[in-house]
mmCIF file of all heavy atoms in Angstrom:
data_model
loop_
_atom_site.group_PDB
_atom_site.id
_atom_site.type_symbol
_atom_site.label_atom_id
_atom_site.label_comp_id
_atom_site.label_asym_id
_atom_site.label_seq_id
_atom_site.Cartn_x
_atom_site.Cartn_y
_atom_site.Cartn_z
ATOM 1 N N LEU T 161 -2.270 8.860 -16.390
ATOM 2 C CA LEU T 161 -1.909 7.681 -17.169
ATOM 3 C C LEU T 161 -0.381 7.539 -17.225
ATOM 4 O O LEU T 161 0.166 6.449 -17.047
ATOM 5 C CB LEU T 161 -2.490 7.790 -18.575
ATOM 6 C CG LEU T 161 -2.179 6.634 -19.536
ATOM 7 C CD1 LEU T 161 -2.708 5.320 -18.985
ATOM 8 C CD2 LEU T 161 -2.782 6.922 -20.909
ATOM 9 N N GLY T 162 0.307 8.656 -17.464
ATOM 10 C CA GLY T 162 1.764 8.617 -17.486
ATOM 11 C C GLY T 162 2.348 8.218 -16.147
ATOM 12 O O GLY T 162 3.346 7.483 -16.073
ATOM 13 N N GLN T 163 1.732 8.695 -15.064
ATOM 14 C CA GLN T 163 2.194 8.330 -13.722
ATOM 15 C C GLN T 163 1.985 6.835 -13.472
ATOM 16 O O GLN T 163 2.785 6.191 -12.777
ATOM 17 C CB GLN T 163 1.464 9.158 -12.673
ATOM 18 C CG GLN T 163 1.865 10.628 -12.692
ATOM 19 C CD GLN T 163 0.998 11.466 -11.770
ATOM 20 O OE1 GLN T 163 -0.161 11.162 -11.534
ATOM 21 N NE2 GLN T 163 1.565 12.545 -11.249
ATOM 22 N N LEU T 164 0.908 6.270 -14.019
ATOM 23 C CA LEU T 164 0.661 4.845 -13.875
ATOM 24 C C LEU T 164 1.736 4.036 -14.610
ATOM 25 O O LEU T 164 2.229 3.018 -14.099
ATOM 26 C CB LEU T 164 -0.727 4.504 -14.425
ATOM 27 C CG LEU T 164 -1.359 3.163 -14.013
ATOM 28 C CD1 LEU T 164 -1.470 3.056 -12.505
ATOM 29 C CD2 LEU T 164 -2.728 3.010 -14.659
ATOM 30 N N VAL T 165 2.114 4.495 -15.797
ATOM 31 C CA VAL T 165 3.203 3.845 -16.525
ATOM 32 C C VAL T 165 4.489 3.895 -15.707
ATOM 33 O O VAL T 165 5.213 2.897 -15.590
ATOM 34 C CB VAL T 165 3.402 4.519 -17.902
ATOM 35 C CG1 VAL T 165 4.676 4.000 -18.575
ATOM 36 C CG2 VAL T 165 2.197 4.283 -18.803
ATOM 37 N N THR T 166 4.779 5.062 -15.114
ATOM 38 C CA THR T 166 5.978 5.211 -14.288
ATOM 39 C C THR T 166 5.918 4.295 -13.072
ATOM 40 O O THR T 166 6.917 3.665 -12.687
ATOM 41 C CB THR T 166 6.132 6.663 -13.838
ATOM 42 O OG1 THR T 166 6.219 7.504 -14.990
ATOM 43 C CG2 THR T 166 7.388 6.843 -12.992
ATOM 44 N N LEU T 167 4.741 4.192 -12.457
ATOM 45 C CA LEU T 167 4.573 3.317 -11.291
ATOM 46 C C LEU T 167 4.910 1.870 -11.644
ATOM 47 O O LEU T 167 5.690 1.206 -10.945
ATOM 48 C CB LEU T 167 3.137 3.411 -10.774
ATOM 49 C CG LEU T 167 2.732 2.382 -9.707
ATOM 50 C CD1 LEU T 167 3.485 2.623 -8.408
ATOM 51 C CD2 LEU T 167 1.233 2.423 -9.465
ATOM 52 N N PHE T 168 4.331 1.371 -12.726
ATOM 53 C CA PHE T 168 4.577 -0.014 -13.116
ATOM 54 C C PHE T 168 6.012 -0.222 -13.592
ATOM 55 O O PHE T 168 6.511 -1.357 -13.593
ATOM 56 C CB PHE T 168 3.593 -0.450 -14.194
ATOM 57 C CG PHE T 168 2.177 -0.599 -13.702
ATOM 58 C CD1 PHE T 168 1.107 -0.558 -14.581
ATOM 59 C CD2 PHE T 168 1.901 -0.777 -12.350
ATOM 60 C CE1 PHE T 168 -0.200 -0.700 -14.136
ATOM 61 C CE2 PHE T 168 0.604 -0.908 -11.895
ATOM 62 C CZ PHE T 168 -0.452 -0.869 -12.780
ATOM 63 N N SER T 169 6.690 0.842 -13.975
ATOM 64 C CA SER T 169 8.080 0.718 -14.402
ATOM 65 C C SER T 169 8.988 0.313 -13.249
ATOM 66 O O SER T 169 10.091 -0.203 -13.464
ATOM 67 C CB SER T 169 8.581 2.052 -14.989
ATOM 68 O OG SER T 169 7.843 2.404 -16.144
ATOM 69 N N ASN T 170 8.541 0.543 -12.029
ATOM 70 C CA ASN T 170 9.354 0.233 -10.859
ATOM 71 C C ASN T 170 9.253 -1.221 -10.417
ATOM 72 O O ASN T 170 9.850 -1.607 -9.420
ATOM 73 C CB ASN T 170 8.946 1.140 -9.686
ATOM 74 C CG ASN T 170 9.326 2.582 -9.932
ATOM 75 O OD1 ASN T 170 10.484 2.908 -10.187
ATOM 76 N ND2 ASN T 170 8.348 3.466 -9.899
ATOM 77 N N VAL T 171 8.463 -2.014 -11.134
ATOM 78 C CA VAL T 171 8.311 -3.415 -10.764
ATOM 79 C C VAL T 171 8.629 -4.285 -11.961
ATOM 80 O O VAL T 171 8.027 -4.148 -13.021
ATOM 81 C CB VAL T 171 6.873 -3.725 -10.285
ATOM 82 C CG1 VAL T 171 6.773 -5.178 -9.844
ATOM 83 C CG2 VAL T 171 6.487 -2.798 -9.155
ATOM 84 N N ALA T 172 9.588 -5.174 -11.812
ATOM 85 C CA ALA T 172 9.907 -6.128 -12.871
ATOM 86 C C ALA T 172 8.961 -7.312 -12.746
ATOM 87 O O ALA T 172 8.834 -7.900 -11.680
ATOM 88 C CB ALA T 172 11.350 -6.590 -12.753
ATOM 89 N N VAL T 173 8.270 -7.631 -13.846
ATOM 90 C CA VAL T 173 7.280 -8.703 -13.763
ATOM 91 C C VAL T 173 7.478 -9.789 -14.814
ATOM 92 O O VAL T 173 6.890 -10.856 -14.708
ATOM 93 C CB VAL T 173 5.838 -8.147 -13.899
ATOM 94 C CG1 VAL T 173 5.479 -7.309 -12.703
ATOM 95 C CG2 VAL T 173 5.679 -7.346 -15.196
ATOM 96 N N GLY T 174 8.292 -9.564 -15.811
ATOM 97 C CA GLY T 174 8.362 -10.527 -16.895
ATOM 98 C C GLY T 174 9.715 -11.174 -17.104
ATOM 99 O O GLY T 174 9.891 -11.941 -18.045
ATOM 100 N N GLY T 175 10.707 -10.859 -16.264
ATOM 101 C CA GLY T 175 12.008 -11.515 -16.384
ATOM 102 C C GLY T 175 11.926 -12.960 -15.939
ATOM 103 O O GLY T 175 10.931 -13.404 -15.377
ATOM 104 N N GLU T 176 13.000 -13.695 -16.152
ATOM 105 C CA GLU T 176 12.979 -15.130 -15.840
ATOM 106 C C GLU T 176 12.710 -15.381 -14.360
ATOM 107 O O GLU T 176 11.920 -16.241 -13.988
ATOM 108 C CB GLU T 176 14.307 -15.763 -16.262
ATOM 109 C CG GLU T 176 14.313 -17.279 -16.105
ATOM 110 C CD GLU T 176 15.572 -17.907 -16.662
ATOM 111 O OE1 GLU T 176 16.313 -17.219 -17.374
ATOM 112 O OE2 GLU T 176 15.803 -19.095 -16.374
ATOM 113 N N ALA T 177 13.375 -14.609 -13.485
ATOM 114 C CA ALA T 177 13.192 -14.811 -12.048
ATOM 115 C C ALA T 177 11.769 -14.471 -11.631
ATOM 116 O O ALA T 177 11.153 -15.171 -10.827
ATOM 117 C CB ALA T 177 14.193 -13.951 -11.270
#
Side-chain angles (χ1 to χ4, degrees):
L161 179 60
Q163 290 173 330
L164 198 58
V165 171
T166 301
L167 170 67
F168 290 159
S169 297
N170 291 305
V171 183
V173 292
E176 186 174 347

